[in-house]
Amino acid sequence: MQRQREAPAFAPTDAVFRAAAAGVLVAAMVQVTAALAGFGLVEGLYEAGRGSPFISTAGVFWIGASALAFAIGGFASARFADAHRLRQALFCGLLTFSTALIAAVVILTLRPPALVDRSLGPVGNAVAAMSAAVSAPGPDASLELSALRGEIVTFVDRANAEGGAAGRAGETSRVETQAALATILAGISETADDAAIGAAVDAMEAAAGVTAKVAERRLTEWQRAHDRALRTARRSAAAVTGAVSTGCFSAFLALAVAMLASMCGSVLGRPRDRVVEIGAGWR
C-alpha cells in the first residue's frame, strides 16, 4: 500500500505572525465595510445606544458582521501561512482573532473617530458602557440630593441666606452650623430613627429660630424629597449597571461567534492541493 504523503512543514514563526497580521487587516476591512453597509441599510444602527440588547436587529447584525469578517480573516491568515495541517490552521485562526481583539481594545482607548468607534460593534459598545459606568455619579452625588443639601444649608445659616441680615443664625458659629447641618442630614436619612429625627428638630429650632411645629413640617418635606431623590438616583445607577451587563454579554456572544468563525475560516483556508484528511491532521 502506498503511504500517505506527509504534509509540508509549517511556516516559520515570523511568517505566521505576518499572516496573522494580514488576517487582522482583512477582517478589519470587512468589518468596516459591513458596518458602512449596515449604517445605510439597518435603521437606527448608528444611533443605537451603548449596550443594546443582543436579541435585536442591531445585535444580530453585529454578530453576523463579526462572524463574516473573522471567517474571511482566518481564511486569509491560514492561506498566507501555508497551513496544511488542521492544528496549524486552527492556530492561525485563533492567533488572528486574539490579535484583532487586542488591537480593537487598544484602538478604543485612543478615542478614535466616531466611524471607527461604531464600526467595532459589540466590543466598542462594551468598552463605552464600562467607561460610562466609571464616569457616572453615584447615588449620593445626584443633582437632586445636592440641591436638597443646599436648601438645608440655606435654612440653617440664615445669615448667608439673607445677605448678612441680623438673626439668630448670624450669631451661630461656623462649627455649630456644621454640627446642626450634620444632625439634620442624619434626621432626613432613610435609616433615621425617632432619636435622630428628634435631634434634627431640636437642631433646626436652635439654628434657625423656628418653632417645633415649623421644624417638624419642614423636616418631613425634606425627608420625602430625600427619599424621592434617592429612588431616582438608584434607578439611574441600575440603568447604567444594566447597560454594562447587556453590553458585555452581547460582546461576549459576538466574540465567541467571531472566534469560532475565525477558526472555521482558517480551516477552509488551508491549501487544497496538498491538504491531508482532517482525521489525519491531528497527528
Side-chain angles (χ1 to χ4, degrees):
M1 176 183 292
Q2 185 179 4
R3 295 180 58 186
Q4 187 179 28
R5 182 169 54 183
E6 295 290 338
F10 197 26
T13 303
D14 57 344
V16 174
F17 280 99
R18 286 197 298 268
V24 171
L25 180 61
V26 172
M29 293 301 100
V30 174
Q31 178 81 12
V32 172
T33 303
L36 291 175
F39 293 153
L41 297 177
V42 180
E43 183 179 0
L45 181 64
Y46 187 85
E47 296 81 7
R50 299 302 192 182
S52 57
F54 63 92
I55 306 180
S56 62
T57 304
V60 172
F61 172 82
W62 286 123
I63 290 177
S66 300
L68 175 64
F70 277 102
I72 297 177
F75 181 95
S77 175
R79 183 58 59 94
F80 290 157
D82 199 26
H84 293 269
R85 294 183 181 276
L86 181 62
R87 286 176 297 181
Q88 297 170 354
L90 292 176
F91 174 75
C92 288
L94 185 60
L95 183 61
T96 300
F97 170 79
S98 303
T99 306
L101 179 59
I102 294 175
V105 174
V106 171
I107 290 174
L108 287 171
T109 59
L110 300 178
R111 295 184 178 180
L115 178 60
V116 177
D117 182 12
R118 296 303 177 95
S119 298
L120 294 177
V123 179
N125 292 347
V127 173
M130 287 186 286
S131 299
V134 171
S135 60
D140 293 334
S142 68
L143 295 178
E144 294 184 20
L145 289 176
S146 299
L148 178 60
R149 287 170 182 152
E151 181 181 348
I152 296 174
V153 170
T154 302
F155 180 84
V156 172
D157 193 357
R158 284 291 182 86
N160 293 335
E162 298 175 3
R168 189 165 183 177
E171 302 172 357
T172 305
S173 67
R174 183 178 181 83
V175 176
E176 292 174 340
T177 300
Q178 293 297 327
L181 176 62
T183 303
I184 296 173
L185 290 176
I188 66 173
S189 173
E190 61 182 348
T191 59
D193 53 10
D194 293 338
I197 295 175
V201 172
D202 294 338
M204 293 172 65
E205 291 183 62
V210 296
T211 62
K213 185 173 296 185
V214 172
E216 290 176 357
R217 184 172 64 251
R218 182 62 64 89
L219 186 66
T220 301
E221 294 174 358
W222 287 342
Q223 286 174 337
R224 293 173 179 172
H226 183 267
D227 294 342
R228 184 169 57 251
L230 275 182
R231 287 194 297 269
T232 302
R234 286 168 179 168
R235 282 196 297 266
S236 301
V240 172
T241 303
V244 173
S245 302
T246 304
C248 291
F249 188 67
S250 300
F252 164 75
L253 286 181
L255 291 176
V257 173
M259 182 181 66
L260 294 176
S262 179
M263 297 174 71
C264 291
S266 63
V267 171
L268 297 176
R270 293 183 298 169
R272 312 305 295 177
D273 53 343
R274 294 176 295 176
V275 68
V276 296
E277 295 293 333
I278 292 181
W282 291 99
R283 295 200 312 269

